[in-house]
Amino acid sequence: MNSARRGVLAFLGGLVLARPSLGATPGKSAAFAESRSEYKPRHILCFLGPENGLAALQKSARAAIDGFAPDFSLDEDYSQDEPDDRMERSFNVCWDRVDPDAYQPADEEAIAGHGSVLYVLGPSMDAGTAVKTSTHALRFVQHMLDHGALAVKGESAGVAHGARRWKQLFEQSRSEAAANDEMALARICRLAFARRPIGGDAEGMTSVGFHLIGLPDVHVRFTKNGDQPSTNAEQLKIAALMDDIADQMARDGVDAVVKDRRASLTDDTRYEEDEYKFNPFGVVGIDDLKL
């Protein structure tokens, strides 16, 4: 099976227990990383529709492609006009836990009652096109929710939001685009399509999906008093650090952040190079966080 199909069918797990950290300087262009690999990231978007709803989902998606996303395409092999019994569990582990209102009971009900599935493939991106393409992906999500989709999941990092949260993120992206604030726009796209923190206490926690805005992911190793597992509040602290580092990388550049934070920048060894979660820009490592 080729890498595109593996990406579409990937089954994602792990909890996300975090809160976003905002505050980049407005009105500036974002800095991006140099690629350490020939691999170029892309978006895989999963849309759920009603019973016998595939044709309508495809029609809506083609309208988006014709209107503003010409480099996106429909997956013809794994989209289906019937429910997928893996979706309830998949969305359950992919829900964004960053925002306290990331999803509502109505979103869970819509997923449980879905009757069709459409996958949309984004174009391959480099660092210079990642934010623009991710902005189109977020607009694509809102277009589909406005035209028949019941629920949406971003497969490239394994993150899902409820319809209300997707709309909020889209409206924020429109405001930042109108203000020509690329750093703020990159941050909104990161909050929409990336996950953090995932992992465990022993190996540390990482972000997944920062490559979708042209930045390395962040890996945090930490120590704490006692031998109890990290708490939700401590994981929120880790997530806030990841967001701070991402904002700083977009503002000052990766090399400056690595030097300032006494961090490391290494190749992404978490995933195979042809997987959609693989980050070609690498992983910034923080090894000394004390909780």
Side-chain angles (χ1 to χ4, degrees):
M1 183 181 296
N2 64 32
S3 61
R5 304 313 171 208
R6 283 203 302 273
V8 168
L9 292 179
F11 200 69
L12 305 165
L15 290 178
V16 181
L17 301 165
R19 180 177 300 157
S21 173
L22 305 181
T25 304
K28 292 187 177 181
S29 296
F32 302 106
E34 292 186 8
S35 182
R36 305 165 67 89
S37 165
E38 294 182 358
Y39 171 79
K40 292 187 176 183
R42 68 189 307 190
H43 284 277
I44 306 295
L45 302 174
C46 172
F47 300 99
L48 303 188
E51 184 177 2
N52 300 319
L54 180 59
L57 287 177
Q58 291 172 326
K59 181 179 179 180
S60 296
R62 290 190 182 102
I65 291 168
D66 292 341
F68 60 86
D71 293 331
F72 285 66
S73 60
L74 306 187
D75 179 86
E76 302 290 349
D77 294 327
Y78 291 97
S79 300
Q80 59 186 56
D81 202 19
E82 59 186 62
D84 184 334
D85 59 11
R86 300 170 298 174
M87 284 299 168
E88 285 188 76
R89 181 184 172 197
S90 180
F91 270 81
N92 186 53
V93 298
C94 291
W95 285 126
D96 172 44
R97 271 85 176 181
V98 172
D99 187 277
D101 297 316
Y103 64 101
Q104 312 297 320
D107 297 305
E108 296 179 297
E109 293 169 5
I111 293 160
H114 83 280
S116 52
V117 184
L118 174 68
Y119 291 100
V120 170
L121 313 179
S124 297
M125 306 179 289
D126 56 30
T129 61
V131 171
K132 181 178 179 180
T133 304
S134 291
T135 303
H136 288 162
L138 188 50
R139 183 178 176 185
F140 208 121
V141 167
Q142 189 56 49
H143 170 88
M144 294 297 291
L145 288 170
D146 288 341
H147 294 85
L150 304 176
V152 184
K153 175 157 54 83
E155 298 284 4
S156 298
V159 65
H161 309 280
R164 187 167 69 181
R165 176 60 174 160
W166 279 120
K167 183 176 178 62
Q168 181 185 51
L169 290 163
F170 169 66
E171 293 296 342
Q172 289 173 346
S173 75
R174 287 209 308 174
S175 296
E176 305 302 359
N180 198 30
D181 192 336
E182 190 175 353
M183 280 200 300
L185 187 58
R187 185 195 318 115
I188 296 302
C189 290
R190 172 167 52 82
L191 297 180
F193 292 114
R195 298 175 63 207
R196 74 265 186 249
I198 62 173
D201 292 3
E203 70 275 15
M205 296 185 176
T206 71
S207 65
V208 178
F210 287 6
H211 60 310
L212 299 172
I213 59 161
L215 291 176
D217 276 301
V218 179
H219 179 231
V220 178
R221 292 186 181 275
F222 54 92
T223 58
K224 59 193 301 292
N225 294 327
D227 56 1
Q228 295 299 312
S230 59
T231 64
N232 288 0
E234 289 169 332
Q235 292 181 23
L236 287 173
K237 181 178 179 180
I238 294 167
L241 174 62
M242 291 175 176
D243 285 325
D244 287 342
I245 291 172
D247 286 339
Q248 188 181 0
M249 287 192 293
R251 182 179 66 246
D252 301 332
V254 176
D255 291 343
V257 172
V258 169
K259 181 178 180 180
D260 179 62
R261 301 271 182 168
R262 297 181 179 179
S264 61
L265 177 62
T266 60
D267 292 340
D268 186 358
T269 59
R270 302 168 300 172
Y271 308 107
E272 296 296 327
E273 196 169 0
D274 60 354
E275 292 185 72
Y276 285 117
K277 290 185 285 185
F278 173 79
N279 192 324
F281 309 109
V283 179
V284 170
I286 304 291
D287 293 328
D288 58 355
L289 178 66
K290 293 178 174 59
L291 293 178

